[in-house]
Amino acid sequence: MSGQGSRTWFFPDGDIPPPGERETYGHESPIMLNPNDGEAEVTLTVYFEDAEPVTLPVQVVGARRVRCIRVSDPIDGYQIPLGQYALRLESTVPLVCQIGRLDVRQPNLAYYTVLGHPVD
């Protein structure tokens, strides 16, 4: 991995929480930082326990920008089902990536972020 990020990231523990009935609703989001001078074209591939992977249309992260994609919302018309999944993120330029989850299934809420596993 270079000092500026990686082109491929894996997030093996995706688990979209139900939205809940609060003003703040449950969600999950990969967060991508592009510290480079050129924009990043990012492809997301979603893996499931009992179905073939789904590759989603290219997303763009601008040069020297951050982008968050809520995978609990439809992405170009495709809705990742609630429950467990894994995610591979491939970029044309190195990025720094993490995933954040807001779980509203308990009274105190739970928001946390986890770095993905960089491959190259």
Side-chain angles (χ1 to χ4, degrees):
M1 182 170 80
S2 75
Q4 295 294 310
S6 182
R7 292 177 192 261
T8 303
W9 291 83
F10 283 94
F11 300 93
D13 183 31
D15 184 10
I16 298 175
E21 298 178 4
R22 300 169 182 243
E23 183 177 319
T24 302
Y25 65 94
H27 66 273
E28 189 156 274
S29 306
I31 304 148
M32 302 164 283
L33 168 64
N34 179 1
N36 301 290
D37 291 333
E39 73 178 20
E41 293 183 356
V42 178
T43 300
L44 302 173
T45 303
V46 187
Y47 296 87
F48 305 98
E49 180 179 3
D50 57 357
E52 289 299 311
V54 173
T55 300
L56 301 174
V58 170
Q59 305 293 311
V60 175
V61 182
R64 299 177 312 280
R65 299 291 186 265
V66 64
R67 177 149 184 217
C68 176
I69 299 173
R70 285 194 176 192
V71 295
S72 47
D73 294 340
I75 300 170
D76 290 328
Y78 178 76
Q79 178 64 63
I80 298 173
L82 291 180
Q84 188 176 23
Y85 70 96
L87 188 66
R88 178 178 65 201
L89 185 151
E90 297 173 286
S91 174
T92 55
V93 301
L95 302 174
V96 177
C97 301
Q98 65 183 25
I99 198 162
R101 181 183 300 156
L102 175 60
D103 194 336
V104 297
R105 290 178 270 202
Q106 60 177 321
N108 293 333
L109 304 176
Y111 183 79
Y112 58 94
T113 61
V114 178
L115 282 172
H117 174 71
V119 176
D120 57 359

